[in-house]
Amino acid sequence: MKKNYLFTSESVSEGHPDKVCDRISDMVVDTYLGAEPQSRVACETLTTTNKVVLAGEVRGPEIKKDDLIQKVRSCIKDIGYDQDGFTYKEATKIESHLHAQSSDIAMGVDSSGNKDEGAGDQGIMFGYACNETDVLMPAPIHYSHKILRLMAEDRKSGKLKNIEPDSKSQITIEYKDGKPANVKSVVISTQHSADVNQSQVRELVKPYIEKSIPRELLKNLSETEIYVNPTGNFVIGGPDGDSGLTGRKIIVDTYGGAAPHGGGAFSGKDPTKVDRSAAYASRYLAKNIVASKIADKCLIQLAYAIGVSKPLSIYVDLFDNDEEKNKHVESLIQKNFDLSPRGIREMLGLNKPIYEKSAAYGHFGRDPGPDGSFSWEKVDKKDIFTK
């Protein structure tokens, strides 16, 4: 493992075309779970200039197509789009092609007789945590998210004017002895109104860099490379500037490339899909392990087969070359956690309409909410590993 290196992660805002799609897909999940907690949903969304298309399969209560379309418009309005090429109003055409879940998939996943509910698909899921930040996330992705989240909050409140919904951020951090030491560069590309020029956009954005990144990492601010809209004008953006699809920002959603990703997206999937629920469980395990202070960082891998309830394998890496400790932690996980799809959902309370708010600014490193959202960020099991 390198001790001294540069590492970069990026984030995208809720107005990015792909994130608009993630938000809409998770709204569909929440709509069905809110009406029936055992609903099954796999919803993909496509956006382009003045068009939104929903496709996928569902099993649950009847939701009127017109009601769902109205909720799509509410998502677009809340994000902040009312532009010529993309708006929450009638100029944007919305199509829904959701249909019933495949009976073959349902048969493999459902419980029956002595058979417990199986995983909704095969695959591998990773969870990661490290002590680089107070939320136990890698520093580059955490601060990239924070810049865009604070900008969005002020844009929506009216405090930040002339900045539009579509934006991206990217932070490069210099590591020394394996720890974050200094921010080398920050890149922010943000959509803006035609009323401001590039130097004005830079002045609007710069305070959010200072608000988001700790002073000890910005101690050489004058030497930090800051790029704001390096290509120049960025007035046309969002789905009008580029098409969007659900599930295309899986590294942004997780650890910014600091840890492996299993390849499956989260948004648009109900929690019987282990792409989502087992990734949350992996993060929950990794975060509690690091919170127990037995390791500075932890990587967990879980593997599943469709229709099979128990994970096929559990892998733990504490990055300390202590094979016995790694094996001991694996043993503690197997003894104390039910990692079947049903067990994960019950442990984390996942059969709730809690997913729409996770669609932007990362699924991890967030504060658990009173409604049960981000339950996988709790550190209520750390004593298991301390002992």
Side-chain angles (χ1 to χ4, degrees), residues 131-151:
N131 60 8
E132 293 178 14
T133 60
D134 57 355
V135 293
L136 305 186
M137 284 288 286
I141 187 69
H142 178 63
Y143 298 125
S144 293
H145 284 322
K146 191 171 181 181
I147 289 171
L148 298 185
R149 181 171 50 79
L150 293 180
M151 285 175 58

Side-chain angles (χ1 to χ4, degrees), residues 146-189:
K146 191 171 181 181
I147 289 171
L148 298 185
R149 181 171 50 79
L150 293 180
M151 285 175 58
E153 288 172 1
D154 284 357
R155 173 178 59 80
K156 289 180 171 184
S157 72
K159 185 177 178 181
L160 178 60
K161 300 184 185 303
N162 291 309
I163 295 298
E164 300 294 340
D166 190 1
S167 57
K168 303 175 81 170
S169 63
Q170 183 172 285
I171 293 179
T172 299
I173 291 182
E174 180 181 18
Y175 283 72
K176 294 181 178 178
D177 294 324
K179 299 292 183 183
N182 182 48
V183 172
K184 290 289 288 183
S185 66
V186 179
V187 183
I188 299 177
S189 296

Side-chain angles (χ1 to χ4, degrees), residues 42-347:
C43 175
E44 310 293 339
T45 302
L46 160 73
T47 60
T48 186
T49 303
N50 281 334
K51 184 173 280 276
V52 178
V53 180
L54 308 183
E57 53 183 31
V58 296
R59 190 177 80 186
E62 182 179 350
I63 305 292
K64 292 181 179 178
K65 184 181 289 190
D66 288 346
D67 292 344
L68 209 55
I69 288 173
Q70 193 54 48
K71 287 183 177 239
V72 172
R73 295 195 188 282
S74 295
C75 288
I76 297 169
K77 183 177 182 180
D78 182 69
I79 292 169
Y81 279 115
D82 186 15
Q83 301 169 359
D84 288 341
F86 196 68
T87 175
Y88 66 92
K89 296 174 182 172
E90 295 297 323
T92 293
K93 305 304 178 187
I94 301 172
E95 302 174 14
S96 177
H97 301 280
L98 297 172
H99 58 82
Q101 183 185 45
S102 159
S103 58
D104 289 346
I105 292 176
M107 178 178 62
V109 174
D110 289 346
S111 58
S112 61
N114 294 324
K115 174 184 173 295
D116 194 10
E117 180 184 297
D121 202 352
Q122 72 175 46
I124 56 175
M125 294 82 210
F126 288 96
Y128 181 73
C130 61
N131 60 8
E132 293 178 14
T133 60
D134 57 355
V135 293
L136 305 186
M137 284 288 286
I141 187 69
H142 178 63
Y143 298 125
S144 293
H145 284 322
K146 191 171 181 181
I147 289 171
L148 298 185
R149 181 171 50 79
L150 293 180
M151 285 175 58
E153 288 172 1
D154 284 357
R155 173 178 59 80
K156 289 180 171 184
S157 72
K159 185 177 178 181
L160 178 60
K161 300 184 185 303
N162 291 309
I163 295 298
E164 300 294 340
D166 190 1
S167 57
K168 303 175 81 170
S169 63
Q170 183 172 285
I171 293 179
T172 299
I173 291 182
E174 180 181 18
Y175 283 72
K176 294 181 178 178
D177 294 324
K179 299 292 183 183
N182 182 48
V183 172
K184 290 289 288 183
S185 66
V186 179
V187 183
I188 299 177
S189 296
T190 183
Q191 187 185 14
H192 57 87
S193 75
D195 298 329
V196 288
N197 58 37
Q198 293 309 302
S199 62
Q200 289 172 314
V201 171
R202 183 183 177 90
E203 291 307 308
L204 287 171
V205 164
K206 194 173 177 181
Y208 293 92
I209 298 172
E210 298 181 49
K211 286 181 192 176
S212 302
I213 302 173
R215 176 56 57 187
E216 60 268 23
L217 294 180
L218 274 179
K219 50 184 175 286
N220 298 321
L221 183 59
S222 60
E223 298 177 13
T224 302
E225 299 171 35
I226 298 177
Y227 303 92
V228 176
N229 286 7
T231 60
N233 220 37
F234 189 0
V235 174
I236 300 171
D240 187 30
D242 192 6
S243 61
L245 289 171
T246 301
R248 280 205 299 202
K249 290 292 177 284
I250 57 178
I251 298 301
V252 170
D253 287 342
T254 54
Y255 308 102
H261 190 285
F266 304 154
S267 291
K269 297 175 182 176
D270 73 79
T272 66
K273 278 75 169 173
V274 284
D275 278 344
R276 178 164 229 159
S277 57
Y280 291 168
S282 302
R283 163 65 177 175
Y284 182 59
L285 293 171
K287 188 172 184 182
N288 275 273
I289 289 166
V290 173
S292 75
K293 300 189 184 303
I294 66 167
D296 290 339
K297 55 183 177 178
C298 173
L299 178 69
I300 303 282
Q301 185 204 59
L302 302 177
Y304 290 85
I306 188 168
V308 180
S309 69
K310 297 295 183 183
L312 304 183
S313 65
I314 301 172
Y315 169 82
V316 176
D317 189 353
L318 302 178
F319 300 92
D320 58 6
N321 297 315
D322 188 336
E323 190 171 343
E324 288 303 312
K325 185 164 73 168
N326 278 259
K327 287 182 178 179
H328 180 60
V329 169
E330 286 178 19
S331 174
L332 288 173
I333 291 171
Q334 290 174 333
K335 289 177 182 176
N336 291 280
F337 298 89
D338 180 357
L339 296 175
S340 67
R342 184 196 302 275
I344 291 171
R345 292 203 317 279
E346 292 176 353
M347 174 175 67

Side-chain angles (χ1 to χ4, degrees), residues 362-378:
H363 291 246
F364 307 127
R366 309 285 291 275
D367 293 330
D371 60 351
S373 57
F374 303 106
S375 57
W376 49 91
E377 290 299 304
K378 293 180 179 178

